[in-house]
Amino acid sequence: MLSSPLKVAAVSATSQPELSQVFASAHINHTVGEAVPELQRTLSDLDLHSPENGRSSSSSSCERTPRPDYHTNGLVRPRTRDGLRLPELTATPKRNPLGSRRSTISASATTTSLNLEPADSISVSSSVEGASGILSKSAGSRAPEHASRSRKRYIDVSTGENGRGESSRSLEKENRRSVLSTQELRNGNTVSKQGSIEPGHHSESFPQGEKGSCKQSPANSITYPDRRYFILTSAGKPVFCSHTADEESLTRMMGVAQAIISIHDEDGDKLQSITHGRMKITFLLGDPLYLFCVSEWNEPDFVLRCHLEYLYLQTISIVTSSQLIRMFQRRSNFDLRRLLDGRRDSSKDLRRLGSEPSLYSLIGQMQSDFTFFTSSLQPLRMSPFLREAAANALVPPTKISELLYVLLIADDKIVTLLRPRKHSIHPTDLHLLLNVLSSSPALRTAETWLPICLPKFNPGGFVYAFISYIRENLGMVFISADRDGFDSLREWRDGVLEKLEKTKVLGKLEAARSRHEYSVADLEIPGVRHFWYKSRRNVQITMPRWDSPYTPNSTEQKRLITLYQHVYDGIHAKSGPGMPLKQYYVQTEYEACMGWSTQPFELYLTVSPSMPKNAVVSAANSIARWINKEEAKLFLRDAPVF
Amino acid sequence: MATRKKVLLKVIILGDSGVGKTSLMNQYVNKRFSNQYKATIGADFLTRELVVDDRVVTMQLWDTAGQERFQSLGVAFYRGADCCVLVYDVNSSKSFEALDGWRDEFLVQASLLYFSVPGRKKERRHALTASPHDPENFPFVVLGNKIDMEDSKRMVSQKRAMTWCQSKGNIPYFETSAKEAINVEQAFQTIAKNALQQEAEVELYADYPDPIRIDSESNQSYGCNC
């Protein structure tokens, strides 16, 4: 929360430059002949705030994702933040490298110039962490004892545009504070905490007076523009871009990104994110691929890292990690688009780059599908007896060797899943596989033998998927490690089909498909607008469909998803030094959301912000009871192993 | 693999400050020239599409800062280049003598790269010989710029420059003027052509990954126990 002043302050500069502009260039021209504010200077300012200098008491809190301004009332204590006091003061730059001078960033004669506020913050981590460290932890989640090792640095630069350029340090602080307050007023939100069990740990220093003082909320105008995802090679060659872009600006942007990454790499650091106003650019750096995402959703850090990791893994699923590494070891200038890009048409000025359908479809799904960031599954909701009957038909004969997984899929949801006794299946691999299925309509029309790399199972090689759709939305998938197993699997498929038909399972499955979705209204629990539930034991989730006002792709849905992610973040302490929480209640002007974590499950529910807390708790209990009753239908349990 | 796909080429331009790197690029890409000197800070990027030997090529031109104080873009910056263009000013011996240093710097930086694998707990690092597998054969092109100036100002003779280029493995040499657009098109055409040779024709599927034996896998301890 403490970092929000910095970031909220920047929001007040209303015009948000287009992403392409932000990334237009690393070429900074000074307007008066002699160039001054070069990248290196900015970077040397980074050093000022390095924890080793002992100046910044807590870089980790600087790193914290700013939560939206919530009322965090009651039920639980807020996360403790010992020793993380007032980092906005310590993180304030002593000298302001760019503020007093006007800097122009221009890409080249061919692109637009713009006055660019320097990034509000750039966070990097030392390369000793390794890429996986970055994947699994946000910078802020590091324990304090690691802080010195990881050499995290933080900059916060402000420009003259905000009238803060010449300010002294303390003045600057004042300004920030005041900007924050006005922003808070405009949002109609304040931050206040009550009923904390450990009041001593409040480090929030925000004024509480404004509560309710402003009913007009420009928060209405907060939009959730599509996130943009990019993949480039470590040489700076574009591989994939999630939206339509002309090649020229994209190529240039990739060059800038590579240069910025490279500068940090020089010092053994890994760039994690750049924040600019509401915009956050999150990086996932590995060799030979760099990935980054641009988002204005104000989501917790772990969400975008998760998305980037999935994008990386989906890429791996196409080429395998070992092949990818070998190609770039041989030729670091390799143009990976030659491999990933199916349809390249040089006659069009505007074109989608890296038109790998599975990557687009993955991005589309990740925006609203909770199974990705919770690393779980949502199987088809159906009668357990029907599920069992289907599973029995799918038990493979022993003569088929090298069989890994057997799946029955309806509408991209899992009906049942059989595995060998000694192998479990990682949800990530299943997501990648299901995504490939849903992104290629061609797979539905014919029997397919598809080599695919399941990176969590084995990133170094392919397994083979025998894919056969019985009906339009009902498919069987057999995963085998036997490259020549097609014929025997096809033969077995015929037998399975016969069993399914004989037991009338097929027809019943068709019917079950249409009954998968349920509405929150079906539960008849007053006040509950939406919820989702994760069964820890089954590593599965369930969720009603998105009803009004949270209809798919609406601003309301995106807002609620982001709110859920913040609550999830709080419960799991994913991006903070605090302890995981058992309950976490967050209230905004639109809705209130409670997370509740117990040994067997996690439950997140959305209610009216005015609902009394004891009513919220009893609603949560009612949902848990309902799920308990329905569990056999909602979750896939006790599938046979072979 | 015979591919008709469009190729992206990364071309890095190096040389002392003020020799006209940015001007050459601007002339080539935008057909413009300005007498005003503006130092490049960090790097600048331009692209131009062209056709070489019936192939559509996108040249990604990486203009760099000649001034030392604006350098240090990091080792990774040079990674994966397809061609390196060395520029000097024919009216400045110093800028010509610096070519050796620029060439060495490029080769040293580009071959000091490391390779790491994301998603692993322990970062695996391999020393990597970057694209200049064989430094002697990495494509360079030398441009002697500002030949529009009067002859009396000329400090480096064509012969001297060509001798140097020959000694470095027959580097193609062009005398150019960004101001008067002399030889610029031709020079960049050659640059693209040489870069294209460097662009890998990797045999993509030659080394199919080893088959996986599922029984050899150790027991995994993740996933759903369904």
Side-chain angles (χ1 to χ4, degrees), chain A residues 25-30 34-35 38-40 106-110 127 129-132 135 234-238 247-248 251-252 254-256 258-259 262-263 265-266 270 285-288 290 312 320-323 325-335 337-339 341 344 346 351 377 402-404 417 419-420 422-427 451 456-464 481 483 537-540 636 638-639, chain B residues 1 3 5-10 22 26 29-30 32 37-49 55-56 58-60 62-63 68-82 109 113-133 195 197-226:
Chain A
S25 176
H27 172 164
I28 306 176
N29 280 336
H30 193 250
E34 208 188 296
E38 69 275 25
L39 279 166
Q40 293 94 311
S106 68
S108 70
T110 55
S127 61
E129 283 283 327
S132 65
L135 293 183
S234 55
K237 296 190 178 187
E247 174 140 2
E248 195 166 311
T251 314
R252 211 155 35 218
M254 294 302 115
V256 177
Q258 204 264 0
S262 169
I263 289 163
D265 192 58
E266 181 87 336
K270 281 209 156 128
L285 306 181
D287 252 330
Y290 296 152
Y312 176 75
T320 79
S321 146
S322 48
Q323 198 183 8
I325 288 164
R326 256 202 308 267
M327 273 181 317
F328 279 88
Q329 260 173 346
R330 212 174 295 151
R331 294 279 186 186
S332 58
N333 60 343
F334 184 68
D335 193 346
R337 281 191 295 180
R338 291 173 45 196
L339 200 57
D341 184 354
R344 171 145 284 277
S346 55
R351 68 181 79 84
L377 295 175
E402 300 289 324
L403 196 61
L404 192 54
L417 161 65
R419 59 180 175 88
K422 41 181 173 170
H423 290 287
S424 48
I425 181 163
H426 199 287
K456 297 286 179 180
F457 171 69
N458 185 335
F462 286 120
V463 290
Y464 300 85
R483 205 164 145 182
R537 193 179 76 84
N538 297 313
V539 201
Q540 290 167 39
L636 163 61
D638 310 319
Chain B
M1 196 175 96
T3 174
K5 279 186 180 177
K6 199 164 70 174
V7 187
L8 183 85
L9 299 173
K10 173 174 175 177
T22 307
N26 257 326
V29 175
N30 303 318
R32 254 181 283 177
Y37 173 66
K38 279 184 189 171
T40 304
I41 297 145
D44 198 352
F45 306 91
L46 282 175
T47 51
R48 185 173 149 176
E49 220 166 77
R55 284 185 87 178
V56 184
T58 307
M59 253 212 281
Q60 188 185 24
W62 297 49
D63 184 16
E68 212 163 296
R69 62 197 182 110
F70 298 140
Q71 285 164 22
S72 84
L73 278 162
V75 171
F77 188 76
Y78 295 97
R79 178 183 293 166
D82 295 289
Q109 299 249 28
L113 304 177
Y114 286 89
F115 223 67
S116 60
V117 186
R120 297 276 170 90
K121 283 256 155 50
K122 233 186 195 171
E123 198 168 349
R124 234 170 55 191
R125 296 206 139 208
H126 320 264
L128 171 74
T129 39
S131 36
H133 269 293
Q197 284 166 7
Q198 180 69 13
E199 209 275 333
E201 288 288 339
V202 177
E203 304 235 336
L204 299 172
Y205 299 101
D207 46 3
Y208 222 64
D210 300 330
I212 299 174
R213 314 307 304 183
I214 61 165
D215 294 333
S216 64
E217 290 291 307
S218 57
N219 275 340
Q220 295 142 306
S221 57
Y222 51 63
C224 58
N225 303 314
C226 45

Side-chain angles (χ1 to χ4, degrees), chain A residues 426-541:
Chain A
H426 199 287
T428 303
D429 284 342
L430 267 185
H431 292 153
L432 299 175
L433 178 67
L434 291 175
N435 177 53
V436 169
L437 295 177
S438 67
S439 65
S440 321
L443 293 177
R444 281 153 204 245
T445 54
E447 287 163 6
T448 316
W449 188 238
L450 180 79
I452 183 171
C453 173
L454 300 177
K456 297 286 179 180
F457 171 69
N458 185 335
F462 286 120
V463 290
Y464 300 85
F466 173 84
I467 301 158
S468 168
Y469 273 79
I470 315 164
R471 306 268 168 92
E472 199 197 335
N473 288 307
L474 206 58
M476 280 190 271
V477 182
F478 308 150
I479 307 283
S480 165
D482 180 8
R483 205 164 145 182
D484 306 314
F486 181 83
D487 289 329
S488 59
L489 289 176
R490 186 164 65 175
E491 197 180 310
W492 174 46
R493 192 277 321 261
D494 293 341
V496 172
L497 194 56
E498 203 176 299
K499 275 190 212 164
L500 287 175
E501 271 168 353
K502 208 160 73 188
T503 49
K504 300 208 172 66
V505 169
L506 268 190
K508 290 177 191 161
L509 278 175
E510 280 287 333
R513 253 180 2 99
S514 57
R515 287 198 302 266
H516 165 72
E517 287 201 329
Y518 60 98
S519 161
V520 68
D522 298 347
L523 275 71
E524 294 175 339
I525 301 169
V528 178
R529 295 180 182 177
H530 190 263
F531 73 90
W532 64 280
Y533 175 102
K534 176 175 178 181
S535 159
R536 288 186 195 261
R537 193 179 76 84
N538 297 313
V539 201
Q540 290 167 39
I541 63 167

Side-chain angles (χ1 to χ4, degrees), chain A residues 120-287:
Chain A
D120 302 324
S121 69
I122 297 179
S123 58
V124 292
S125 78
S126 164
S127 61
V128 288
E129 283 283 327
S132 65
I134 294 171
L135 293 183
S136 58
K137 303 170 178 182
S138 79
S141 67
R142 236 159 256 136
E145 60 266 28
H146 293 148
S148 60
R149 189 174 65 95
S150 63
R151 281 182 58 217
K152 211 138 31 53
R153 302 185 304 195
Y154 181 79
I155 54 162
D156 167 35
V157 277
S158 52
T159 58
E161 267 174 68
N162 288 348
R164 283 181 277 138
E166 311 281 321
S167 326
S168 72
R169 212 169 145 192
S170 62
L171 259 179
E172 190 144 314
K173 171 190 125 197
E174 280 305 310
N175 277 341
R176 283 175 197 295
R177 194 53 65 69
S178 65
V179 174
L180 167 73
S181 320
T182 51
Q183 189 66 32
E184 275 183 342
L185 280 170
R186 283 204 267 139
N187 280 338
N189 287 328
T190 53
V191 178
S192 62
K193 300 208 170 197
Q194 303 159 4
S196 159
I197 296 163
E198 295 174 64
H201 290 296
H202 280 276
S203 43
E204 258 66 26
S205 51
F206 303 146
Q208 299 192 11
E210 297 101 330
K211 189 171 179 179
S213 61
C214 186
K215 294 292 174 209
Q216 296 169 337
S217 54
N220 281 332
S221 64
I222 288 181
T223 54
Y224 295 85
D226 285 351
R227 294 171 173 132
R228 295 173 171 207
Y229 299 82
F230 300 86
I231 306 179
L232 60 151
T233 73
S234 55
K237 296 190 178 187
V239 176
F240 170 82
C241 161
S242 63
H243 59 286
T244 311
D246 74 288
E247 174 140 2
E248 195 166 311
S249 66
L250 181 69
T251 314
R252 211 155 35 218
M253 198 195 299
M254 294 302 115
V256 177
Q258 204 264 0
I260 293 172
I261 293 162
S262 169
I263 289 163
H264 292 276
D265 192 58
E266 181 87 336
D267 302 333
D269 288 331
K270 281 209 156 128
L271 185 61
Q272 289 193 331
S273 65
I274 297 173
T275 309
H276 175 83
R278 242 184 102 79
M279 181 188 292
K280 184 158 192 169
I281 307 167
T282 305
F283 293 85
L284 173 66
L285 306 181
D287 252 330

